[in-house]
Amino acid sequence: MANGSLQTVVICSPATTANATQQAVCPKIGTQFYVPTKVQAYLLDPSQQSKFDAAFGPFDYAYASAIWTFAFSTVVGLYFVSHGIGQVLGIVRRG
């Protein structure tokens, strides 16, 4: 599923000089002239905005620490369970 499409757009890029028509489209700022330039750009589909807002939103440290704590506890718990099973198997093997 595509999130957008490749399209040709017009941007105002810096230049040393610009004629009156170019200045009508891209006005100069201070002493910097700008001229219209065509470029290829990947434009996002507006219906996909919520996905990108969620992906680039603020990081939730409380949620991430809860996930990390759960994962770490699971690993430590599995270690102790497997260690216990190994001890029992060692006792059975030695008789």
Side-chain angles (χ1 to χ4, degrees):
M1 179 168 88
N3 291 326
S5 60
L6 189 63
Q7 297 182 11
T8 303
V9 295
V10 178
I11 64 166
C12 294
S13 54
T16 55
T17 61
N19 61 31
T21 306
Q22 292 170 333
Q23 286 186 18
V25 176
C26 299
K28 75 176 191 172
I29 299 173
T31 59
Q32 179 66 57
F33 289 101
Y34 292 91
V35 294
T37 308
K38 287 187 347 181
V39 296
Q40 291 275 319
Y42 189 78
L43 300 180
L44 298 174
D45 187 2
S47 66
Q48 303 297 321
Q49 178 184 358
S50 61
K51 287 184 184 178
F52 287 92
D53 287 345
F56 297 114
F59 188 75
D60 188 359
Y61 290 99
Y63 182 72
S65 64
I67 297 260
W68 187 90
T69 302
F70 173 73
F72 183 73
S73 300
T74 302
V75 168
V76 170
L78 288 174
Y79 169 78
F80 284 125
V81 167
S82 62
H83 183 71
I85 291 171
Q87 293 292 333
V88 170
L89 290 176
I91 292 170
V92 169
R93 185 175 55 180
R94 285 189 292 269

